[in-house]
Amino acid sequence: MKDISAIRADFPILSRYVHNKPLVYFDNGATTQKPKCVLDTLYEVYTSYNSNIHRGVHFLSDKASEEYENAREKIRAFINAENKEEIIFTSGTTGSINAIAYSFGERYIKNGDEIIISHLEHHANIVPWQMLCERKGAKLRVIPVDDNGEIIFEEYLKLLSSRTRLVAVTQVSNALGVIVPVKKIIEEAHSVKIPVLVDGAQGIQHGITDVREMNCDFYVFSGHKIYGPTGIGVLYGKIEILSELPPYQGGGDMVKSVTFEKTTYADLPFRFEAGTVNFPGAIGLGKAIDYLLSIGMENISRRESELLKYAEKRLLSIGDLKIYGNSQKKISINSFLLKNIHMYDTGMILDKLGIAVRTGTHCAQPVMDRFGIDGTVRASMCFYNTVEEIDILGAGIEKVIEMFS
Amino acid sequence: MTVNEVQDAIIDEFSVFDDWMDKYNLLIDMGRELPVIEAKFKIKDYLIEGCQSKVWLYPEFDGERITFTADSDAIITKGIVSLLIRVLSERRPEEIISADLYFIDKIDLRQNLSPTRANGLLAMVKQIKLYAIAYQAKQNM
C-alpha cells in the first residue's frame, strides 16, 4: 500500500491549519476530503470540455457525454453491477432513496402495506418512507436493535409478513459505525419475494462492494462520502425491477418523444435522469473511484480496521468515556460521550484544538432515543488518518475533561 | 450600570486574553455565576428552540423591570447565557428592546460559533427581546 505520507499529500486540505493547529479531520462520516486528482478533473471538465451531455452534435458535447458514460461504467464495475443501465446518477443518497420511495411507491404500495426499516437508519432512510406511507396509508415497521447497536434478527423475521412490500436498511449505522448483516436480511426477504434497498452511504467507502453477491435490489450512495464531489449520487437497481418502474421526474433527456397528447419515455438509465444531470460531478466521482482502486479497497479496509482498533484502545484508556455501538463488526467510527460533559462542550473545545468531530444526533434521532441520549460526539476516521491524529484526539479529550471537571 | 457599561466591562474582561482556550475558561467561570432558573420552570414552555444544547430561560416582571434566570445542559452555553443575562437582566423592557448587543462581536463570540451554534445565540437574544416586547405591551395596556 502507498505510504501514508504520500496518501496524505494527495489531499490538499489535510495540510491546512485550523485555529493555528494542524487540522485533524475526523468528520469523514459526514463528508470525505477530496484527492487532488478529483479536483483537477473538475477543473479539466470546466476548462476543456464543458458542454451539455447527450444534446449537441459538436465536439465538446460528444466529449462530455463520453466521459459521463465512462464514469457510469466505472461505477458499474466498482460495485460489480451486471449492466450499465442499472446505474442511475442522482443528487446523492437522499435523492436516490426519494426516487425509489416515489417511483416504486407509486407503482406498488397500497393502503395497508408495510415497509420495513431498522432502528439504525439515517433520517434519509426514514422520512421518504414515512411520506410514502402517509400518501398511501401504508405502515412503517422498525427492526429493533440491542444494547450494542446490532439489529435483533429474530425480530426482523417476525416483522416480515404478507403485508411487507419492501425492506430498506442501511449497510452501516452512520451514528454508531455498526455493520448491518444486509446479506442475511436480503436472503430472508427474498425467500418471501420482497425486494430490498440497501443504503450504502456509510458502507461503500470502507471496502469492496459487490451488489450481485449481496443480491440487493437497490443500492444507493453519495459521491461526497466516497472522496468524490458533492451533489452527485448513485442509484443502482436491478434491471428487471427498474424497467417496471415509472419515472419520478419529468423533463428533458428522459423522453423519446413529446407531443401535447402523449410522451414516451427514454430507456434505462436515462428515463430516471431528467434534466441536465450533474455530469462534472459524475465524472469527478469516476475519478475518485480510479483513485480508490489505485490504493486498493482491501488495503483501505485493513488500514481502517487498524485505526479503529488503535482508537478504541486509546479512547477506552480514558476513564469516564463511554463508546456507543460496542459491536465487533464496525467500520472506523467512534461514537462516544464523556461522563457529565455535554457533547457540545466537548466538540467546541476539540474544535479549538484543530480537531473536527461531529456532535449531535447525526441525523439519526431514533438511534439516540434508543440509547436514551441527546446525541454523541462522533469521530469518524478513514484511511488517510493516522495513529498520531488519534493520539491528538486522545490528548484533546483529556484536556476537555480537565477543563470541565 | 447601563447596558453599554456592562457590555464594555465584559469586553475589557475578555480583552486580557489572546488565547481562545483562556477565553473559554473565562466563559466557563462565568457560567458558574449564572442566576439559575428554578427547577419547576425547567420545562418545555421555557426551552429555547434553535440551540444544539438545551437552554431554559425564565422571565419575571415586577411591573417595572424584567429579571431573567436560566440554565443549560452545556457549560459553554451556560457561560454565553450568563453573559446575556448580565447585560439584559433586571432592566426595563424598553432598555432591553433598544439594546444594541455589540459585545457579542467584540469578544469574538459570533465568529467562534458556527452558524447553527450562532443561531442558538441569536435565538436566546430573540427570546429575551420577545419577552421584553410582551411585557412592554402589557405595561401599556
PDB file of all heavy atoms in Angstrom, chain A residues 102-124:
ATOM      1  N   TYR A 102     -40.671   7.326  -4.291  1.00  0.00           N
ATOM      2  CA  TYR A 102     -41.726   7.856  -5.150  1.00  0.00           C
ATOM      3  C   TYR A 102     -42.099   6.853  -6.245  1.00  0.00           C
ATOM      4  O   TYR A 102     -43.259   6.451  -6.375  1.00  0.00           O
ATOM      5  CB  TYR A 102     -41.290   9.190  -5.775  1.00  0.00           C
ATOM      6  CG  TYR A 102     -42.454   9.839  -6.491  1.00  0.00           C
ATOM      7  CD1 TYR A 102     -43.394  10.579  -5.776  1.00  0.00           C
ATOM      8  CD2 TYR A 102     -42.657   9.638  -7.857  1.00  0.00           C
ATOM      9  CE1 TYR A 102     -44.491  11.120  -6.415  1.00  0.00           C
ATOM     10  CE2 TYR A 102     -43.756  10.178  -8.493  1.00  0.00           C
ATOM     11  CZ  TYR A 102     -44.668  10.924  -7.773  1.00  0.00           C
ATOM     12  OH  TYR A 102     -45.759  11.452  -8.400  1.00  0.00           O
ATOM     13  N   SER A 103     -41.086   6.417  -6.995  1.00  0.00           N
ATOM     14  CA  SER A 103     -41.338   5.596  -8.174  1.00  0.00           C
ATOM     15  C   SER A 103     -41.877   4.203  -7.813  1.00  0.00           C
ATOM     16  O   SER A 103     -42.938   3.782  -8.272  1.00  0.00           O
ATOM     17  CB  SER A 103     -40.029   5.482  -8.955  1.00  0.00           C
ATOM     18  OG  SER A 103     -40.223   4.720 -10.099  1.00  0.00           O
ATOM     19  N   PHE A 104     -41.141   3.518  -6.961  1.00  0.00           N
ATOM     20  CA  PHE A 104     -41.563   2.181  -6.506  1.00  0.00           C
ATOM     21  C   PHE A 104     -42.867   2.310  -5.720  1.00  0.00           C
ATOM     22  O   PHE A 104     -43.786   1.523  -5.877  1.00  0.00           O
ATOM     23  CB  PHE A 104     -40.461   1.590  -5.623  1.00  0.00           C
ATOM     24  CG  PHE A 104     -40.750   0.206  -5.119  1.00  0.00           C
ATOM     25  CD1 PHE A 104     -40.323  -0.911  -5.823  1.00  0.00           C
ATOM     26  CD2 PHE A 104     -41.444   0.010  -3.930  1.00  0.00           C
ATOM     27  CE1 PHE A 104     -40.586  -2.193  -5.367  1.00  0.00           C
ATOM     28  CE2 PHE A 104     -41.714  -1.269  -3.461  1.00  0.00           C
ATOM     29  CZ  PHE A 104     -41.284  -2.370  -4.182  1.00  0.00           C
ATOM     30  N   GLY A 105     -42.918   3.374  -4.898  1.00  0.00           N
ATOM     31  CA  GLY A 105     -44.095   3.599  -4.065  1.00  0.00           C
ATOM     32  C   GLY A 105     -45.354   3.799  -4.882  1.00  0.00           C
ATOM     33  O   GLY A 105     -46.412   3.232  -4.582  1.00  0.00           O
ATOM     34  N   GLU A 106     -45.242   4.604  -5.956  1.00  0.00           N
ATOM     35  CA  GLU A 106     -46.422   4.858  -6.792  1.00  0.00           C
ATOM     36  C   GLU A 106     -46.918   3.574  -7.450  1.00  0.00           C
ATOM     37  O   GLU A 106     -48.105   3.349  -7.581  1.00  0.00           O
ATOM     38  CB  GLU A 106     -46.099   5.905  -7.870  1.00  0.00           C
ATOM     39  CG  GLU A 106     -46.067   7.328  -7.364  1.00  0.00           C
ATOM     40  CD  GLU A 106     -47.276   7.699  -6.518  1.00  0.00           C
ATOM     41  OE1 GLU A 106     -48.418   7.616  -7.008  1.00  0.00           O
ATOM     42  OE2 GLU A 106     -47.065   8.070  -5.339  1.00  0.00           O
ATOM     43  N   ARG A 107     -45.966   2.739  -7.841  1.00  0.00           N
ATOM     44  CA  ARG A 107     -46.374   1.533  -8.558  1.00  0.00           C
ATOM     45  C   ARG A 107     -46.892   0.430  -7.640  1.00  0.00           C
ATOM     46  O   ARG A 107     -47.864  -0.242  -7.962  1.00  0.00           O
ATOM     47  CB  ARG A 107     -45.205   1.012  -9.395  1.00  0.00           C
ATOM     48  CG  ARG A 107     -45.469  -0.350 -10.036  1.00  0.00           C
ATOM     49  CD  ARG A 107     -45.231  -0.409 -11.515  1.00  0.00           C
ATOM     50  NE  ARG A 107     -45.902   0.606 -12.291  1.00  0.00           N
ATOM     51  CZ  ARG A 107     -45.684   0.809 -13.578  1.00  0.00           C
ATOM     52  NH1 ARG A 107     -44.807   0.083 -14.228  1.00  0.00           N
ATOM     53  NH2 ARG A 107     -46.332   1.736 -14.221  1.00  0.00           N
ATOM     54  N   TYR A 108     -46.220   0.243  -6.499  1.00  0.00           N
ATOM     55  CA  TYR A 108     -46.503  -0.985  -5.740  1.00  0.00           C
ATOM     56  C   TYR A 108     -47.132  -0.816  -4.360  1.00  0.00           C
ATOM     57  O   TYR A 108     -47.615  -1.787  -3.800  1.00  0.00           O
ATOM     58  CB  TYR A 108     -45.207  -1.792  -5.562  1.00  0.00           C
ATOM     59  CG  TYR A 108     -44.616  -2.271  -6.863  1.00  0.00           C
ATOM     60  CD1 TYR A 108     -43.405  -1.761  -7.326  1.00  0.00           C
ATOM     61  CD2 TYR A 108     -45.268  -3.246  -7.628  1.00  0.00           C
ATOM     62  CE1 TYR A 108     -42.851  -2.206  -8.516  1.00  0.00           C
ATOM     63  CE2 TYR A 108     -44.717  -3.684  -8.823  1.00  0.00           C
ATOM     64  CZ  TYR A 108     -43.511  -3.160  -9.265  1.00  0.00           C
ATOM     65  OH  TYR A 108     -42.982  -3.596 -10.443  1.00  0.00           O
ATOM     66  N   ILE A 109     -47.071   0.379  -3.770  1.00  0.00           N
ATOM     67  CA  ILE A 109     -47.524   0.482  -2.372  1.00  0.00           C
ATOM     68  C   ILE A 109     -48.993   0.900  -2.302  1.00  0.00           C
ATOM     69  O   ILE A 109     -49.404   1.879  -2.910  1.00  0.00           O
ATOM     70  CB  ILE A 109     -46.654   1.484  -1.573  1.00  0.00           C
ATOM     71  CG1 ILE A 109     -45.170   1.103  -1.653  1.00  0.00           C
ATOM     72  CG2 ILE A 109     -47.105   1.561  -0.111  1.00  0.00           C
ATOM     73  CD1 ILE A 109     -44.785  -0.222  -1.040  1.00  0.00           C
ATOM     74  N   LYS A 110     -49.735   0.110  -1.526  1.00  0.00           N
ATOM     75  CA  LYS A 110     -51.170   0.389  -1.363  1.00  0.00           C
ATOM     76  C   LYS A 110     -51.509   0.514   0.121  1.00  0.00           C
ATOM     77  O   LYS A 110     -50.694   0.186   0.990  1.00  0.00           O
ATOM     78  CB  LYS A 110     -51.989  -0.763  -1.967  1.00  0.00           C
ATOM     79  CG  LYS A 110     -51.781  -0.974  -3.456  1.00  0.00           C
ATOM     80  CD  LYS A 110     -52.624  -2.115  -4.004  1.00  0.00           C
ATOM     81  CE  LYS A 110     -52.453  -3.438  -3.277  1.00  0.00           C
ATOM     82  NZ  LYS A 110     -51.120  -4.048  -3.403  1.00  0.00           N
ATOM     83  N   ASN A 111     -52.729   0.926   0.342  1.00  0.00           N
ATOM     84  CA  ASN A 111     -53.249   1.031   1.693  1.00  0.00           C
ATOM     85  C   ASN A 111     -53.074  -0.297   2.446  1.00  0.00           C
ATOM     86  O   ASN A 111     -53.413  -1.353   1.923  1.00  0.00           O
ATOM     87  CB  ASN A 111     -54.745   1.382   1.574  1.00  0.00           C
ATOM     88  CG  ASN A 111     -55.337   1.699   2.926  1.00  0.00           C
ATOM     89  OD1 ASN A 111     -54.667   2.263   3.788  1.00  0.00           O
ATOM     90  ND2 ASN A 111     -56.594   1.323   3.120  1.00  0.00           N
ATOM     91  N   GLY A 112     -52.523  -0.220   3.653  1.00  0.00           N
ATOM     92  CA  GLY A 112     -52.379  -1.421   4.473  1.00  0.00           C
ATOM     93  C   GLY A 112     -51.057  -2.166   4.265  1.00  0.00           C
ATOM     94  O   GLY A 112     -50.722  -3.072   5.031  1.00  0.00           O
ATOM     95  N   ASP A 113     -50.289  -1.779   3.239  1.00  0.00           N
ATOM     96  CA  ASP A 113     -48.988  -2.423   3.010  1.00  0.00           C
ATOM     97  C   ASP A 113     -47.974  -1.975   4.072  1.00  0.00           C
ATOM     98  O   ASP A 113     -48.196  -0.973   4.755  1.00  0.00           O
ATOM     99  CB  ASP A 113     -48.438  -2.033   1.624  1.00  0.00           C
ATOM    100  CG  ASP A 113     -49.196  -2.719   0.499  1.00  0.00           C
ATOM    101  OD1 ASP A 113     -49.969  -3.661   0.793  1.00  0.00           O
ATOM    102  OD2 ASP A 113     -49.011  -2.311  -0.666  1.00  0.00           O
ATOM    103  N   GLU A 114     -46.889  -2.727   4.152  1.00  0.00           N
ATOM    104  CA  GLU A 114     -45.872  -2.373   5.147  1.00  0.00           C
ATOM    105  C   GLU A 114     -44.476  -2.277   4.521  1.00  0.00           C
ATOM    106  O   GLU A 114     -44.144  -3.020   3.596  1.00  0.00           O
ATOM    107  CB  GLU A 114     -45.850  -3.416   6.274  1.00  0.00           C
ATOM    108  CG  GLU A 114     -47.122  -3.372   7.103  1.00  0.00           C
ATOM    109  CD  GLU A 114     -47.125  -4.376   8.243  1.00  0.00           C
ATOM    110  OE1 GLU A 114     -46.162  -5.151   8.378  1.00  0.00           O
ATOM    111  OE2 GLU A 114     -48.112  -4.371   9.000  1.00  0.00           O
ATOM    112  N   ILE A 115     -43.689  -1.349   5.063  1.00  0.00           N
ATOM    113  CA  ILE A 115     -42.294  -1.180   4.658  1.00  0.00           C
ATOM    114  C   ILE A 115     -41.455  -1.359   5.915  1.00  0.00           C
ATOM    115  O   ILE A 115     -41.779  -0.782   6.961  1.00  0.00           O
ATOM    116  CB  ILE A 115     -42.077   0.231   4.057  1.00  0.00           C
ATOM    117  CG1 ILE A 115     -42.882   0.352   2.758  1.00  0.00           C
ATOM    118  CG2 ILE A 115     -40.601   0.504   3.804  1.00  0.00           C
ATOM    119  CD1 ILE A 115     -43.057   1.767   2.278  1.00  0.00           C
ATOM    120  N   ILE A 116     -40.417  -2.172   5.803  1.00  0.00           N
ATOM    121  CA  ILE A 116     -39.580  -2.429   6.979  1.00  0.00           C
ATOM    122  C   ILE A 116     -38.270  -1.641   6.874  1.00  0.00           C
ATOM    123  O   ILE A 116     -37.585  -1.688   5.855  1.00  0.00           O
ATOM    124  CB  ILE A 116     -39.262  -3.938   7.117  1.00  0.00           C
ATOM    125  CG1 ILE A 116     -40.563  -4.734   7.326  1.00  0.00           C
ATOM    126  CG2 ILE A 116     -38.282  -4.191   8.266  1.00  0.00           C
ATOM    127  CD1 ILE A 116     -40.357  -6.239   7.411  1.00  0.00           C
ATOM    128  N   ILE A 117     -37.950  -0.923   7.945  1.00  0.00           N
ATOM    129  CA  ILE A 117     -36.635  -0.277   8.056  1.00  0.00           C
ATOM    130  C   ILE A 117     -36.036  -0.724   9.393  1.00  0.00           C
ATOM    131  O   ILE A 117     -36.645  -1.530  10.089  1.00  0.00           O
ATOM    132  CB  ILE A 117     -36.728   1.276   7.997  1.00  0.00           C
ATOM    133  CG1 ILE A 117     -37.586   1.808   9.140  1.00  0.00           C
ATOM    134  CG2 ILE A 117     -37.283   1.731   6.655  1.00  0.00           C
ATOM    135  CD1 ILE A 117     -37.531   3.327   9.308  1.00  0.00           C
ATOM    136  N   SER A 118     -34.853  -0.226   9.747  1.00  0.00           N
ATOM    137  CA  SER A 118     -34.297  -0.594  11.055  1.00  0.00           C
ATOM    138  C   SER A 118     -34.220   0.647  11.942  1.00  0.00           C
ATOM    139  O   SER A 118     -34.373   1.768  11.477  1.00  0.00           O
ATOM    140  CB  SER A 118     -32.911  -1.214  10.898  1.00  0.00           C
ATOM    141  OG  SER A 118     -31.938  -0.189  10.865  1.00  0.00           O
ATOM    142  N   HIS A 119     -33.977   0.389  13.211  1.00  0.00           N
ATOM    143  CA  HIS A 119     -33.869   1.474  14.193  1.00  0.00           C
ATOM    144  C   HIS A 119     -32.579   2.286  13.987  1.00  0.00           C
ATOM    145  O   HIS A 119     -32.379   3.324  14.594  1.00  0.00           O
ATOM    146  CB  HIS A 119     -33.878   0.861  15.600  1.00  0.00           C
ATOM    147  CG  HIS A 119     -34.511   1.747  16.613  1.00  0.00           C
ATOM    148  ND1 HIS A 119     -35.496   1.331  17.462  1.00  0.00           N
ATOM    149  CD2 HIS A 119     -34.306   3.057  16.908  1.00  0.00           C
ATOM    150  CE1 HIS A 119     -35.862   2.335  18.244  1.00  0.00           C
ATOM    151  NE2 HIS A 119     -35.161   3.395  17.928  1.00  0.00           N
ATOM    152  N   LEU A 120     -31.686   1.776  13.126  1.00  0.00           N
ATOM    153  CA  LEU A 120     -30.382   2.431  12.937  1.00  0.00           C
ATOM    154  C   LEU A 120     -30.393   3.482  11.841  1.00  0.00           C
ATOM    155  O   LEU A 120     -29.396   4.158  11.628  1.00  0.00           O
ATOM    156  CB  LEU A 120     -29.328   1.381  12.564  1.00  0.00           C
ATOM    157  CG  LEU A 120     -28.954   0.359  13.613  1.00  0.00           C
ATOM    158  CD1 LEU A 120     -28.050  -0.709  13.002  1.00  0.00           C
ATOM    159  CD2 LEU A 120     -28.237   1.030  14.783  1.00  0.00           C
ATOM    160  N   GLU A 121     -31.506   3.600  11.134  1.00  0.00           N
ATOM    161  CA  GLU A 121     -31.486   4.414   9.912  1.00  0.00           C
ATOM    162  C   GLU A 121     -31.189   5.890  10.135  1.00  0.00           C
ATOM    163  O   GLU A 121     -31.575   6.487  11.130  1.00  0.00           O
ATOM    164  CB  GLU A 121     -32.828   4.288   9.167  1.00  0.00           C
ATOM    165  CG  GLU A 121     -33.237   2.870   8.804  1.00  0.00           C
ATOM    166  CD  GLU A 121     -32.149   2.068   8.126  1.00  0.00           C
ATOM    167  OE1 GLU A 121     -31.445   2.619   7.265  1.00  0.00           O
ATOM    168  OE2 GLU A 121     -31.996   0.880   8.468  1.00  0.00           O
ATOM    169  N   HIS A 122     -30.525   6.440   9.132  1.00  0.00           N
ATOM    170  CA  HIS A 122     -30.348   7.883   8.984  1.00  0.00           C
ATOM    171  C   HIS A 122     -31.720   8.444   8.604  1.00  0.00           C
ATOM    172  O   HIS A 122     -32.518   7.746   7.976  1.00  0.00           O
ATOM    173  CB  HIS A 122     -29.340   8.099   7.846  1.00  0.00           C
ATOM    174  CG  HIS A 122     -28.946   9.515   7.589  1.00  0.00           C
ATOM    175  ND1 HIS A 122     -29.762  10.402   6.926  1.00  0.00           N
ATOM    176  CD2 HIS A 122     -27.805  10.193   7.878  1.00  0.00           C
ATOM    177  CE1 HIS A 122     -29.136  11.573   6.832  1.00  0.00           C
ATOM    178  NE2 HIS A 122     -27.954  11.474   7.397  1.00  0.00           N
ATOM    179  N   HIS A 123     -31.989   9.685   8.946  1.00  0.00           N
ATOM    180  CA  HIS A 123     -33.289  10.282   8.604  1.00  0.00           C
ATOM    181  C   HIS A 123     -33.622  10.133   7.112  1.00  0.00           C
ATOM    182  O   HIS A 123     -34.784  10.044   6.734  1.00  0.00           O
ATOM    183  CB  HIS A 123     -33.319  11.767   8.987  1.00  0.00           C
ATOM    184  CG  HIS A 123     -33.217  11.987  10.471  1.00  0.00           C
ATOM    185  ND1 HIS A 123     -32.902  13.192  11.024  1.00  0.00           N
ATOM    186  CD2 HIS A 123     -33.387  11.137  11.515  1.00  0.00           C
ATOM    187  CE1 HIS A 123     -32.876  13.083  12.352  1.00  0.00           C
ATOM    188  NE2 HIS A 123     -33.158  11.848  12.668  1.00  0.00           N
ATOM    189  N   ALA A 124     -32.575  10.108   6.265  1.00  0.00           N
ATOM    190  CA  ALA A 124     -32.799   9.980   4.818  1.00  0.00           C
ATOM    191  C   ALA A 124     -33.428   8.637   4.454  1.00  0.00           C
ATOM    192  O   ALA A 124     -34.038   8.507   3.390  1.00  0.00           O
ATOM    193  CB  ALA A 124     -31.483  10.144   4.062  1.00  0.00           C
TER     194      ALA A 124
END
